[in-house]
């Protein structure tokens, strides 16, 4: 395991997820011939792997395709809490969608905790699963009432909760709510063994295999980046942001959000529990034993992707917070995640559109992908196997908009239009005068480019018009990436795609060599 000391290393040396650094990589084959299966699953995160496991177990022939490597997308960058405590959610769902629907949400998420525990036990998977209480707290007077309302709502829905005014941790609070019997785990230690149960008997996992087109017919054809095809009767799109929209208008209904995690070692013993606050900026805490050290994962600082000026500051803020609560020895890992949030904070899981019979989607888990993602996989496996599932209605992607959803639809899409307009009227510099490891927007001959100088001093320029629908990208100084403020696509400094929905890389111009993307890549 590779670790670095926070005080002496530059940030990129230790920007890595503990979950990925502490487990072996995977090496599944690339699709190199046309194949036919019953169900194709696009995306090898918690939804894809869990649904694949369930469908294969039921005798279905499946193929999971993953653009890079499995469990290295958002599932590899989580805080890995398995909890039905999702901030202040139940009171809001009861108010906007009613008691029955809120009960479905609570049951689905509570059910995920038991499902993960049972599956790990059944398959003898040692994934550091631990039952623990989850504490949600506030340091502000104005949220005391909200916490009380949430306690009332959760109790009505059958979740065991209790209000308290003291935490077993060094935080001075006004009020808190405990959810008993929640859990945490190591997501890759759980999902990599689960994935191993899938290949064989006509089922497959393919890595480095990207879906670039979906064609509908008697069977659905997925065309991959290497030109090979998968024919399937049903398709699950579990690619985080749906790689195929099918007129479902997911672009307008999902907001991209980034949040940050640091893993620190501390001198004192961390109490039994997981913690999260209600107010902004967000603060989340949990422990993880890595064998030598007890790590504390400190998360939070969420913001809409590519909004805000400096990204490094989020890690600094988390370190300051950690130092205010603990005697910190070292910060060993730092990573960030991208989540998609729906208009009403409830994921979209089910048929891609109300007219679509054979293509399913699972997206918009907010920051609660471990429980929501597991519930989504179980729901979709049931639908495909023709079984009833009690949570269909709450997650239905074609559900009517609540008043909360309408309001957010307007706000988010106004923001997208604003970014497009701003990008056309702002002017930039005339010279490329930047330091090593620095990135920013420059203007050359009246055209704007994203400029980055690497550690060797080589200058990289990219077109900064997002290849999705054309918003102007912003520089993320912490991760050396170009991020889109509209729908959250992200690109490396040399134009490769880090996150969709964009499916085409950026034109890249390197000092001394101009490397234009091919026509297909340029769309
Ligand atoms: Fe939609 Fe960039 S992700 S315009």
């Amino acid at each position: 395991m590779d670790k670095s000391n926070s005080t002496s290393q530059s940030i990129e040396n230790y920007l890595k997820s503990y979950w990925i650094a502490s487990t072996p990589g995977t090496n599944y084959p690339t699709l190199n011939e046309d194949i036919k299966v019953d169900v194709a699953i696009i995306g090898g995160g918690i939804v894809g792997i869990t649904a694949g496991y369930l469908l294969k177990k039921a005798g279905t022939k499946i193929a999971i395709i993953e653009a890079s490597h499995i469990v290295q997308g958002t599932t590899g960058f989580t805080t890995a809490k398995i909890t039905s405590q999702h901030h202040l959610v139940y009171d809001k769902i009861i108010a906007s969608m009613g008691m029955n629907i809120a009960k479905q949400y609570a049951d689905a998420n509570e059910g995920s905790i038991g499902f993960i525990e049972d599956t790990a036990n059944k398959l003898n998977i040692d994934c550091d699963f631990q039952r623990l209480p989850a504490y949600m707290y506030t340091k502000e007077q104005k949220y005391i009432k909200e916490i009380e309302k949430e306690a009332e709502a959760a109790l009505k829905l059958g979740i065991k909760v209790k209000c308290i005014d003291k935490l077993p941790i060094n935080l001075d609070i006004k009020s808190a709510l405990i959810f008993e019997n929640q859990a945490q785990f190591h997501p890759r230690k759980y999902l990599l063994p689960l994935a191993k149960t899938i290949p064989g008997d006509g089922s497959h996992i393919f890595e480095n295999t990207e879906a670039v087109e979906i064609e509908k017919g008697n069977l659905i054809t997925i065309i991959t980046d290497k030109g090979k095809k998968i024919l399937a009767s049903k398709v699950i799109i579990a690619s985080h942001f749906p790689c195929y929209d099918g007129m479902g208008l997911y672009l307008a209904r999902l907001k991209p959000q980034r949040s940050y995690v640091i893993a620190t070692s501390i001198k004192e013993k961390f109490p039994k529990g997981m913690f999260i606050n209600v107010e902004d900026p967000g603060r989340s805490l949990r422990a993880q034993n890595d064998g030598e050290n007890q790590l504390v994962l400190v998360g939070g600082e969420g913001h809409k992707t590519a909004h805000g000026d400096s990204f490094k500051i989020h890690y600094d803020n988390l370190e300051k917070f950690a130092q205010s609560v603990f005697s910190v020895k070292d910060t060993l890992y730092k990573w960030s995640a991208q989540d998609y949030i729906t208009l009403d904070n409830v994921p979209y899981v089910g048929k891609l559109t109300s007219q679509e019979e054979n293509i399913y989607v699972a997206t918009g888990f907010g920051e609660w992908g471990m429980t929501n993602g597991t519930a989504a996989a179980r729901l979709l496996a049931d639908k495909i196997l023709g079984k009833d599932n009690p949570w269909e209605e709450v997650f239905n992607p074609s559900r009517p908009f609540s008043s909360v959803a309408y309001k957010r639809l307007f706000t988010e899409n106004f923001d997208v239009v604003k970014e497009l307009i701003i990008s056309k009227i702002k002017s930039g510099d005339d010279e490329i005068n930047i330091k090593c490891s620095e990135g920013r927007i420059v203007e050359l001959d009246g055209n704007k480019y994203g400029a980055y100088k690497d550690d060797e001093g080589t200058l990289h320029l990219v077109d900064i018009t997002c290849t999705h629908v054309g918003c102007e990208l912003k520089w993320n100084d912490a991760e050396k990436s170009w991020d889109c403020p509209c729908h959250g696509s992200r690109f490396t400094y040399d134009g490769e795609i880090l996150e969709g929905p964009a499916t085409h890389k950026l034109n890249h111009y390197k000092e001394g060599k101009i490397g234009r993307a091919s026509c297909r890549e340029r769309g």
Side-chain angles (χ1 to χ4, degrees):
M1 202 188 306
D2 181 21
K3 294 174 186 172
S4 317
N5 187 308
S6 64
T7 50
S8 56
Q9 304 282 327
S10 62
I11 194 165
E12 57 270 30
N13 284 350
Y14 62 126
L15 265 182
K16 61 183 72 154
S17 145
Y18 167 75
W19 314 122
I20 294 174
S22 58
T23 43
T26 52
N27 192 18
Y28 288 98
T30 299
L31 179 69
N32 59 14
E33 59 180 348
D34 294 351
I35 60 164
K36 192 170 150 194
V37 288
D38 301 321
V39 181
I41 300 174
I42 302 171
I46 191 163
V47 179
I49 303 289
T50 309
Y53 159 73
L54 290 169
L55 289 166
K56 161 86 189 272
K57 197 155 70 93
T60 310
K61 290 185 179 19
I62 66 130
I64 296 177
I65 58 169
E66 168 56 54
S68 65
H69 290 275
I70 61 165
V71 206
Q72 284 203 5
T74 298
T75 307
F77 292 83
T78 165
T79 53
K81 292 178 176 176
I82 316 170
T83 169
S84 61
Q85 183 192 71
H86 297 176
H87 283 126
L88 298 168
V89 69
Y90 294 108
D91 185 53
K92 289 187 184 131
I93 301 182
I94 292 173
S96 62
M97 298 163 102
M99 187 65 85
N100 286 344
I101 299 283
K103 177 90 177 112
Q104 289 182 26
Y105 187 86
D107 290 350
N109 282 287
E110 277 281 303
S112 294
I113 307 172
F115 175 88
I116 291 173
E117 186 174 32
D118 291 348
T119 306
N121 286 340
K122 218 179 291 166
L123 300 181
N124 264 329
I125 297 174
D126 179 3
C127 58
D128 306 337
F129 183 95
Q130 223 185 331
R131 286 274 186 177
L132 290 170
Y135 297 87
M136 179 168 58
Y137 67 89
T138 183
K139 292 178 135 202
E140 294 182 30
Q141 189 74 28
K142 66 178 181 189
Y143 288 108
I144 296 178
K145 195 90 210 122
E146 306 272 322
I147 285 201
E148 286 167 3
K149 276 170 32 190
E150 188 67 0
E152 227 172 274
L155 283 169
K156 278 188 210 155
L157 298 170
I159 305 175
K160 282 193 196 134
V161 301
K162 204 165 64 189
C163 280
I164 52 169
D165 54 15
K166 224 172 166 25
L167 291 180
I169 196 165
N170 177 28
L171 281 167
D172 199 10
I173 60 156
K174 294 279 185 226
S175 175
L177 189 58
I178 315 182
F179 279 45
E180 299 288 0
N181 221 15
Q182 306 292 296
Q184 63 181 32
F185 71 160
H186 187 311
R188 281 176 60 89
K189 283 190 184 171
Y190 169 69
L191 288 166
L192 296 184
L194 208 58
K196 280 193 183 157
T197 67
I198 294 169
D201 301 324
S203 289
H204 316 263
I205 294 179
F206 297 109
E207 294 190 309
N208 297 308
T209 301
E210 187 179 357
V212 291
E213 247 174 278
I214 292 183
E215 287 174 0
K216 298 208 283 180
N218 287 342
L219 291 175
I220 300 162
T221 306
I222 297 174
I223 302 166
T224 66
D225 54 340
K226 315 278 181 320
K228 302 300 176 200
K229 296 175 184 167
I230 301 180
L231 277 86
S233 309
K234 311 260 182 206
V235 171
I236 293 177
I237 299 175
S239 54
H240 200 28
F241 190 98
C243 59
Y244 173 78
D245 190 86
M247 303 295 280
L249 295 179
Y250 288 91
L251 274 183
R253 299 198 283 145
L254 289 167
K255 177 179 90 161
Q257 164 149 322
R258 291 201 76 70
S259 57
Y260 303 80
V261 184
I262 60 169
T264 59
S265 60
I266 60 169
K267 291 190 182 136
E268 56 270 64
K269 207 168 158 33
F270 191 85
K272 282 196 177 314
M274 302 170 285
F275 302 84
I276 196 160
N277 67 344
V278 173
E279 54 268 29
D280 276 334
R283 298 287 180 251
S284 154
L285 294 164
R286 64 157 283 189
Q288 170 67 25
N289 197 326
D290 84 338
E292 305 160 32
N293 290 298
Q294 177 194 239
L295 299 177
V296 176
L297 310 191
V298 185
E301 294 280 310
H303 63 85
K304 190 172 178 189
T305 301
H307 285 62
D309 293 328
S310 169
F311 298 90
K312 272 184 184 166
I313 198 161
H314 300 296
Y315 292 114
D316 294 345
N317 289 343
L318 291 178
E319 289 201 283
K320 277 187 208 143
F321 172 70
Q323 283 155 6
S324 74
V325 184
F326 308 108
S327 308
V328 172
K329 288 200 270 182
D330 264 335
T331 295
L332 302 169
Y333 302 90
K334 299 184 178 188
W335 66 91
S336 67
Q338 178 138 315
D339 297 299
Y340 285 96
I341 298 170
T342 67
L343 297 173
D344 54 15
N345 295 315
V346 175
Y348 303 130
V349 184
K351 290 179 186 170
L352 188 68
T353 67
S354 57
Q355 310 301 316
E356 179 56 67
E357 282 308 316
N358 298 317
I359 303 180
Y360 298 88
V361 69
T363 188
F365 303 136
E367 292 167 343
W368 308 106
M370 299 301 100
T371 47
N372 270 324
T374 300
R378 296 174 73 195
L379 165 55
L380 295 183
D382 281 350
K383 295 274 298 171
I384 287 171
L385 296 170
K387 295 187 197 164
D388 288 336
N389 182 290
W391 319 313
E392 219 172 292
E393 209 181 339
V394 61
F395 293 124
N396 178 6
S398 306
R399 61 185 173 266
F401 290 166
S402 64
S403 53
V404 177
Y406 261 123
K407 201 166 153 212
R408 200 177 292 167
L409 179 72
F410 177 77
T411 317
E412 290 304 328
N413 288 291
F414 177 75
D415 193 37
V416 171
V417 172
K418 187 184 80 182
E419 291 294 339
L420 274 166
I421 293 168
I422 287 174
S423 69
K424 301 296 172 225
I425 59 173
K426 257 200 205 157
S427 63
D429 332 30
D430 275 314
E431 288 180 17
I432 307 180
N433 184 14
I434 62 176
K435 298 190 217 98
C436 281
S437 293
E438 189 190 347
R440 65 184 163 85
I441 293 173
V442 297
E443 191 165 311
L444 292 170
D445 297 332
N447 295 317
K448 285 195 199 175
Y449 298 91
Y452 170 71
K453 198 174 267 183
D454 65 25
D455 288 340
E456 271 80 55
T458 306
L459 181 69
H460 299 262
L461 293 180
V462 291
D463 284 341
I464 45 153
T465 300
C466 179
T467 56
H468 181 225
V469 292
C471 287
E472 184 176 295
L473 302 172
K474 291 193 174 165
W475 179 242
N476 176 338
D477 58 1
E479 301 185 53
K480 312 237 172 290
S481 60
W482 290 102
D483 296 357
C484 181
C486 292
H487 313 108
S489 289
R490 298 180 59 238
F491 304 85
T492 58
Y493 63 79
D494 51 0
E496 297 293 330
I497 297 170
L498 286 168
E499 310 241 9
T503 54
H504 303 298
K505 63 185 179 183
L506 305 171
N507 283 328
H508 171 225
Y509 315 89
K510 194 169 157 187
E511 206 171 41
K513 182 179 161 216
I514 293 183
R516 277 208 163 257
S518 71
C519 291
R520 191 181 75 76
E521 287 161 335
R522 294 173 65 196

